[in-house]
Amino acid sequence: MMRSVRDWLWVVGFAILITFSIPWFLWGSSRVVAGLPVWLWWHVGWMVVASLTFALFARTDWDRLMGVDGVGGDS
C-alpha cells in the first residue's frame, strides 16, 4: 500500500511527539518557574500539544488510517 504525503506527515508528527515526550535536555536542571520545576512545565505543555494533535488526528484521519468505517455505529 502506498502512503500519501499526509500519512507521512502524521508519522513524522507522532514521531516528534514521542521523541520529545521525555525532556532529556532538562535532566539535571534545577530551574523553578512559578514554584514548579521547569521539566514539569515541559510535561504540562507536551500533554496539551499531544492532546491537540491526537484530537486532530481522530477527527480527520482516524477512520482512513486505522481501517475503520467513518460513519455508523458499532457494526
Side-chain angles (χ1 to χ4, degrees):
M1 178 171 102
M2 286 292 284
R3 295 269 183 204
S4 69
V5 172
R6 188 172 179 162
D7 294 348
W8 285 112
L9 288 174
W10 281 119
V11 168
V12 170
F14 281 115
I16 289 170
L17 283 176
I18 291 167
T19 301
F20 290 109
S21 63
I22 299 174
W24 306 102
F25 49 88
L26 292 176
W27 282 16
S29 174
S30 60
R31 285 189 52 200
V32 175
V33 175
L36 294 173
V38 72
W39 59 265
L40 189 58
W41 287 114
W42 175 269
H43 281 294
V44 169
W46 179 84
M47 291 296 289
V48 169
V49 171
S51 297
L52 293 173
T53 302
F54 189 76
L56 181 64
F57 173 72
R59 289 179 188 262
T60 60
D61 288 321
W62 177 270
D63 55 342
R64 185 174 57 85
L65 293 173
M66 294 297 154
V68 179
D69 291 335
V71 181
D74 293 17
S75 55

